[in-house]
């Protein structure tokens, strides 16, 4: 497919790292199908690259190789674009990972351009631009306005929580401030950390995509919460709460509606109710959390949860677990 006939992934994205978790990642939204298959490239031992606007997907692996060799983020951008005759149509953001920074003896954020850089070609469609902060860069093209990028930067800096929450918050903020001129279609969240993948056998800590949806960022957040509860481990709590009173009754009613509990819901949560919760845990692959921890999460998160039925159960568990640090 020639460049003239290739679809252009008009996009806004954020590339960022979390030194405390040794994590680095990309979050992206676009009026383009399956943007997660094109834009984000992430490796825990190198860094993260977002390539967009007539994306040159070779920038991803080539950028990682340069970062591993000790090139600064600015040098990576210059070498990638310098070797590309169509560089003025490209846009990219580069962030060196905490692991690479430590291996290369770089303290904190390093000098300007050493660990974070971006490029917006002169031929990218308006509005196009980028903004850098201490641990991130945001960039976008075919945007309604510059405020999209400013809102993303502010949200990332001000949102509490881990890297996944801050990246998703940045997407929401950018979209609310204007977003892509053409609308919404797909979104992705990809974060790497050492041994962060399934059973610790790779670095793919978070990898969630929504390929085609009317509200892809909302759907990305919903799917991420399921991913988080299912696959990401949390520190054990010092103490747990039992379900009781109205919350116990509502959880029991929900378990009954879902076919896991055949007793009479009440304000107590005893052995039969916990057996039903254990069946719910097994059906949903939540075995990385003990029954006392899940009960505690439901007790703490029920009032903050959205939705009905299984959706509310999962959302409540996610809210309740959020007080615990991820491992």
């Amino acid at each position: 497919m020639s460049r003239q006939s290739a679809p252009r992934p008009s996009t806004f994205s954020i590339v960022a790292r979390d030194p405390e978790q040794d994590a680095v990642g990309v979050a992206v939204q676009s009026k383009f199908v399956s943007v997660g298959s094109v834009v984000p490239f992430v490796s825990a031992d190198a860094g993260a690259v977002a390539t967009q606007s007539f994306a040159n997907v070779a920038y991803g692996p080539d950028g990682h190789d340069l970062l591993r060799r000790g090139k600064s983020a600015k040098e990576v951008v210059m070498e990638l674009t310098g070797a590309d005759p169509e560089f003025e149509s490209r846009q990219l953001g580069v962030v060196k990972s905490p692991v690479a920074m430590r291996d290369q003896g770089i303290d904190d954020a390093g000098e300007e351009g050493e660990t974070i850089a971006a490029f917006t070609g002169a031929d990218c469609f308006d509005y196009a631009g980028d903004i850098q902060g201490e641990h991130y860069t945001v960039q976008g093209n075919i945007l309604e306005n510059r405020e999209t990028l400013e809102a993303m930067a502010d949200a990332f800096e001000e949102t509490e929580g881990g890297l996944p929450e801050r990246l998703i918050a940045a997407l929401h903020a950018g979209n609310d401030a204007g977003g892509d001129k053409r609308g919404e279609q797909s979104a992705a969240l990809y974060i790497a950390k050492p041994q962060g993948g399934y059973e610790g056998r790779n670095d793919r800590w978070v990898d969630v995509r929504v390929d085609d949806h009317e509200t892809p960022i909302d759907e990305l957040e919903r799917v991420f919460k399921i991913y988080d509860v299912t696959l990401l481990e949390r520190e054990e709590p010092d103490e747990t709460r039992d379900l009781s009173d109205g919350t116990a009754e509502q959880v029991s009613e929900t378990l009954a509606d879902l076919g896991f509990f055949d007793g009479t819901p009440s304000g107590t949560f005893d052995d039969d109710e916990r057996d039903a919760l254990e069946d719910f845990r097994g059906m949903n692959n939540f075995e990385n959390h003990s029954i006392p921890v899940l009960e505690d999460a439901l007790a703490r998160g029920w009032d903050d949860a959205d939705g009905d039925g299984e959706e509310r159960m999962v959302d409540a568990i996610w809210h309740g677990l959020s007080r615990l640090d991820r491992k």
Side-chain angles (χ1 to χ4, degrees):
M1 182 179 290
S2 69
R3 174 174 131 12
Q4 287 74 20
S5 62
R8 175 194 294 256
S10 62
T11 299
F12 55 91
S13 68
I14 176 166
V15 188
R17 63 176 171 244
D18 179 355
E20 293 185 4
Q21 279 279 358
D22 268 352
V24 64
V26 177
V28 57
Q29 195 282 150
S30 184
K31 181 66 173 74
F32 184 86
V33 70
S34 190
V35 70
S37 69
V38 177
V39 169
F41 292 84
V42 185
S43 179
D45 69 346
V49 176
T51 173
Q52 54 204 53
S53 179
F54 283 127
N56 183 340
V57 295
Y59 282 3
D62 291 349
H64 287 166
D65 288 343
L66 292 168
L67 289 167
R68 291 188 188 99
R69 286 163 45 193
K71 297 288 186 179
S72 71
K74 184 175 181 179
E75 289 172 331
V76 170
V77 167
M78 292 178 64
E79 291 201 26
L80 293 176
T81 57
D84 184 353
E86 297 176 312
F87 72 99
E88 292 290 13
S89 297
R90 317 293 191 194
Q91 186 175 52
L92 77 152
V94 178
V95 172
K96 192 181 288 279
S97 71
V99 172
M101 290 173 63
R102 187 165 56 250
D103 290 347
Q104 295 164 22
I106 302 171
D107 295 327
D108 298 325
E111 298 178 2
E112 183 177 356
E114 188 170 11
T115 68
I116 296 172
F119 172 79
T120 299
D123 294 339
C124 292
F125 292 167
D126 285 336
Y127 176 80
D130 53 80
I131 299 173
Q132 288 72 55
E134 183 179 2
H135 294 300
Y136 69 90
T137 175
V138 295
Q139 45 282 319
N141 60 89
I142 318 185
L143 302 178
E144 287 283 358
N145 47 45
R146 179 174 173 79
E147 286 74 17
T148 295
L149 300 179
E150 293 171 346
M152 293 177 71
D154 290 344
F156 182 78
E157 293 182 3
E158 296 169 4
T159 298
E160 296 182 358
L163 186 58
E165 286 85 358
R166 297 173 72 194
L167 292 175
I168 292 173
L171 291 186
H172 277 303
N175 203 47
D176 291 344
D180 190 323
K181 282 182 179 178
R182 303 183 308 169
E184 305 174 61
Q185 186 170 4
S186 67
L189 176 66
Y190 187 8
I191 305 173
K193 63 176 288 185
Q195 298 180 315
Y198 189 70
E199 293 189 335
R201 297 179 186 274
N202 61 26
D203 68 358
R204 191 172 301 187
W205 191 40
V206 178
D207 186 3
V208 180
R209 284 172 31 180
V210 175
D211 288 340
D212 184 31
H213 198 275
E214 290 184 359
T215 55
I217 302 173
D218 290 340
E219 180 67 2
L220 184 74
E221 183 172 23
R222 185 192 71 81
V223 176
F224 166 70
K225 288 179 178 179
I226 300 172
Y227 184 104
D228 190 6
V229 173
T230 307
L231 293 172
L232 303 188
E233 296 183 354
R234 301 270 184 169
E235 298 292 344
E236 289 296 314
D238 293 331
E239 59 181 27
T240 58
R241 293 179 185 174
D242 293 339
L243 281 163
S244 62
D245 302 327
T247 303
E249 185 172 2
Q250 291 179 57
V251 171
S252 297
E253 287 176 352
T254 303
L255 289 169
D257 290 342
L258 294 172
F260 295 103
F261 179 58
D262 58 7
T264 301
S266 69
T268 59
F269 205 81
D270 293 325
D271 290 345
D272 289 344
E273 287 85 355
R274 291 189 177 100
D275 287 344
L277 180 58
E278 185 167 7
D279 289 342
F280 174 85
R281 180 183 67 164
M283 181 66 71
N284 288 277
N285 302 299
F286 294 163
E287 288 91 351
N288 57 331
H289 306 290
S290 68
I291 294 301
V293 168
L294 287 180
E295 184 176 347
D296 173 80
L298 287 165
R300 295 175 187 272
W302 190 260
D303 289 341
D304 294 324
D306 295 323
D308 299 303
E310 183 173 295
E311 182 179 359
R312 185 167 187 183
M313 290 284 291
V314 174
D315 202 43
I317 291 169
W318 183 84
H319 278 287
L321 292 174
S322 292
R323 73 187 182 96
L324 307 173
D325 291 336
R326 295 188 181 95
K327 293 182 180 180

